[in-house]
Amino acid sequence: MSKLNNRQIEVAEVVFPCENLAENLAFFTDTLGFRIESIYPADTPRVAVVAAYGTRLRLEEKTGVAPDTLLLICRRAEVEAGAHDELVAPNGTRVKFETTDIPPVIPDLVPSLTVQKIGVQSNWGIGRAGMQYRDLIPDRLGGRYIASHIRITEGGPVPDYVHHHHILFQLIYCYKGWVRVVYEDQGAPFLMHPGDCVLQPPHIRHQVLECSDAFEVLEIGCPAEHVTLVDHDIALPTEQLRPDRDFGGQRFCFHQAVETDWTAWRADGFENCDFGFVGATGNLVSVGLVRTVAGSTLPASSHQNELLFNFVLQGSMTLECEDNQVWQLQAGDAYTIPAGKDYSFSDCSADLEFLEVLTPG
Ligand SMILES: [Fe+2]
């Protein structure tokens, strides 16, 4: 670390505009030997920081202009103290002072009713580490939430690296197949099977190691766009086992399908299995499964949560919302219902089961 007019500079990044991030990222990593330091957003990367030979470049997808900005990354206290006036070099290069040591920016909620049917609406895109992403809430509720259906068709070792996320909360639900993962201070690598779910607290280091063929997970998080940071300095698994470790006010949680314990849901004729994430997150998010008793219906009612996200895991049902909007739903379909909007279920199949994610806001 060195000083510049009383600023404690930790690292410098040169902004490097490029028209195609994937192409340029491959060139810098594969051809020139740079390594990835961070990348975001995970589903459609537009920014990646690479480093080598004492240089960090921030590859940003945009058209046209030559590199013209030097970012000097400072500690948060100094940026907040006002030591971040922009400078201009003689050749016109702008020198900006930024910090990464800040809480994630959480956009304001823009409530909306969204329904995403699998099949015709499935636009699978290529995201981070070669995984395929399907966006389950395309409008992101104003950028506040993201829900992704992620799949890997051909199993084997996953080209992942030890990384962590700058998020408010994030959870992973194993839908199909299996995956072997490892988390900081949570012991040896372990397998996730269908029905298993992990709560990933902010900045817990983790790595996806390998998965089966036809592997599918659901990933739900806040905010929708966040930075994924790569940690080159620790190896997983870590030596210590600290299941109760505090990560930004949250603790790691692993719900296993074999522990499923069904209790009465908020409506008659349905049962619920709660994953226990309310306590682990300080009441940020509630996650669980809901299943039906044959022939059940959900009378028209509303909720008061900030987020109500459901993903149909198996079976079928009819969802009806006020204004006579009706959808026939099946496994793979997902929806969000805004607070205060009446909705009901009918024609529930005997095997209906869905994942429900609620945030009180
Ligand atoms: Fe991750």
Side-chain angles (χ1 to χ4, degrees):
M1 189 185 297
S2 62
K3 265 192 163 183
L4 175 62
N5 294 338
N6 292 323
R7 300 177 181 92
Q8 296 293 330
I9 309 300
E10 293 185 331
V11 68
E13 290 178 358
V14 178
V15 176
F16 193 90
C18 54
E19 299 210 351
N20 182 316
L21 179 63
E23 191 174 83
N24 283 276
L25 187 56
F27 175 77
F28 274 90
T29 55
D30 299 347
T31 304
L32 299 184
F34 277 65
R35 68 182 191 180
I36 300 172
E37 296 292 330
S38 67
I39 186 167
Y40 88 98
D43 60 336
T44 51
R46 296 191 304 273
V47 177
V49 175
V50 295
Y53 323 121
T55 299
R56 283 167 70 102
L57 299 177
R58 183 186 298 235
L59 306 178
E60 291 190 356
E61 216 167 49
K62 60 176 70 168
T63 53
V65 298
D68 68 347
T69 304
L70 177 65
L71 295 178
L72 298 179
I73 308 304
C74 310
R75 289 185 298 205
R76 179 184 178 185
E78 291 162 19
V79 172
E80 289 182 342
H84 60 288
D85 294 338
E86 192 171 310
L87 303 177
V88 180
N91 70 350
T93 297
R94 293 153 62 215
V95 181
K96 296 168 73 174
F97 298 90
E98 290 195 356
T99 184
T100 55
D101 180 25
I102 53 174
V105 175
I106 312 296
D108 290 338
L109 179 76
V110 179
S112 77
L113 171 65
T114 69
V115 177
Q116 277 297 298
K117 303 269 293 171
I118 198 162
V120 288
Q121 288 180 312
S122 297
N123 294 314
W124 293 96
I126 301 299
R128 193 180 67 78
M131 296 179 280
Q132 297 179 43
Y133 281 69
R134 172 184 167 228
D135 197 345
L136 298 175
I137 314 177
D139 72 6
R140 308 280 173 83
L141 306 185
R144 198 166 175 89
Y145 293 104
I146 187 169
S148 302
H149 184 178
I150 304 169
R151 71 181 181 189
I152 296 176
T153 50
E154 287 188 28
V158 174
D160 199 10
Y161 29 76
V162 177
H163 67 277
H164 51 114
H165 303 286
H166 199 44
I167 38 99
L168 186 64
F169 77 80
Q170 189 178 53
L171 58 102
I172 306 287
Y173 178 86
C174 182
Y175 183 32
K176 296 179 181 176
W178 57 261
V179 64
R180 197 160 67 93
V181 290
V182 61
Y183 285 85
E184 180 182 10
D185 292 354
Q186 308 304 317
F190 60 91
L191 286 175
M192 292 179 67
H193 296 286
D196 294 349
C197 189
V198 293
L199 175 80
Q200 300 185 161
H203 296 291
I204 188 171
R205 271 59 172 172
H206 58 282
Q207 185 174 5
V208 181
L209 300 173
E210 63 173 322
C211 69
S212 67
D213 288 342
F215 166 63
E216 298 183 30
V217 290
L218 307 175
E219 181 181 291
I220 297 104
C222 170
E225 294 198 346
H226 64 265
V227 178
T228 295
L229 298 135
V230 181
D231 191 332
H232 298 285
D233 298 326
I234 74 167
L236 297 178
T238 44
E239 285 184 6
Q240 59 274 52
L241 179 62
R242 294 194 286 173
D244 293 326
R245 177 175 164 185
D246 182 291
F247 292 90
Q250 301 178 36
R251 63 181 161 77
F252 175 82
C253 237
F254 178 35
H255 167 81
Q256 291 183 268
V258 292
E259 298 169 351
T260 297
D261 183 20
W262 296 97
T263 57
W265 194 47
R266 59 179 179 266
D268 291 341
F270 295 86
E271 291 181 318
N272 168 244
C273 166
D274 181 73
F275 292 177
F277 293 176
V278 172
T281 59
N283 201 29
L284 274 179
V285 62
S286 165
V287 184
L289 300 176
V290 179
R291 71 179 182 186
T292 185
V293 176
S296 298
T297 59
L298 175 70
S301 60
S302 63
H303 69 92
Q304 292 305 317
N305 296 281
E306 184 178 283
L307 172 72
L308 183 152
F309 169 82
N310 286 176
F311 181 94
V312 180
L313 298 164
Q314 62 178 45
S316 60
M317 59 182 269
T318 299
L319 169 70
E320 182 168 356
C321 292
E322 57 185 55
D323 309 326
N324 297 318
Q325 295 173 285
V326 178
W327 293 269
Q328 312 296 328
L329 301 180
Q330 60 177 348
D333 296 342
Y335 57 89
T336 60
I337 308 281
K341 194 172 191 68
D342 273 356
Y343 70 105
S344 63
F345 301 156
S346 58
D347 307 321
C348 298
S349 66
D351 61 345
L352 173 66
E353 191 170 306
F354 60 86
L355 178 76
E356 180 163 78
V357 180
L358 304 170
T359 66

